[in-house]
Amino acid sequence: MENESLPLPGKEEPTYSISITVTNIRNTDGVIRFKFYDDDTPFPHDKGFLRIVVPKSEIIGDTFTATYYGFTSRNMGIALQDDENDNWELDFGWFFPKEGHAFSDYYHTSFRRPVYSDFRFLLTGDKQVTMKMKYY
């Protein structure tokens, strides 16, 4: 698992954990790429404020759960890409993505592109997030 470091919080600032459960993963090819966004780096910012990569070879079945620590209170959201060929891109067919994607506590069903406010939440304590994979 590859992680980018979170900046260290100030001494007085409390930190919280985020437990993420990803469901409906269709295979074990490639990697899951998480991007964490906040109001300073909102979706679709290229990198967000944190990126985490999980090799799908570490996932058993169609569900993955992990807990990440050290987040300060803020508005934020999480998006992920199921990068099945590990090429750092969301591959497209004619109109729709060929690879899966998911968002924090939001299942995207419309034809428009998702926006940050669709999956943003205010982190004020330890949080559990569900991300249901969407494939076309």
Side-chain angles (χ1 to χ4, degrees):
M1 185 171 3
E2 299 172 27
N3 298 343
E4 290 186 359
S5 299
L6 285 172
L8 294 173
K11 292 184 189 228
E12 302 85 34
E13 206 166 356
T15 61
Y16 306 105
S17 66
I18 299 176
S19 295
I20 301 171
T21 300
V22 181
T23 62
N24 296 354
I25 302 168
R26 74 174 166 195
N27 61 43
T28 58
D29 300 332
V31 299
I32 299 284
R33 297 187 189 283
F34 291 96
K35 289 185 184 177
F36 291 72
Y37 300 94
D38 62 11
D39 290 351
D40 292 332
T41 56
F43 178 83
H45 186 275
D46 286 343
K47 295 184 179 181
F49 72 86
L50 173 67
R51 294 181 296 173
I52 297 174
V53 179
V54 177
K56 287 170 59 184
S57 60
E58 297 179 8
I59 298 172
I60 298 171
D62 68 349
T63 302
F64 170 75
T65 301
T67 301
Y68 302 103
Y69 301 88
F71 298 95
T72 56
S73 181
R74 66 176 107 177
N75 285 314
M76 60 184 298
I78 307 165
L80 73 77
Q81 173 198 355
D82 182 355
D83 191 359
E84 294 175 311
N85 58 2
D86 198 7
N87 69 347
W88 290 87
E89 296 178 13
L90 181 60
D91 298 324
F92 279 83
W94 284 95
F95 297 104
F96 298 105
K98 290 166 46 176
E99 298 173 309
H101 56 274
F103 303 92
S104 46
D105 292 328
Y106 171 73
Y107 187 73
H108 188 68
T109 57
S110 70
F111 289 111
R112 69 167 172 78
R113 190 173 186 182
V115 295
Y116 178 54
S117 61
D118 289 336
F119 60 95
R120 183 178 78 173
F121 58 89
L122 176 60
L123 184 67
T124 58
D126 294 342
K127 173 98 172 141
Q128 292 192 3
V129 170
T130 301
M131 302 179 79
K132 182 179 177 183
M133 293 299 302
K134 169 87 174 198
Y135 299 95
Y136 294 94

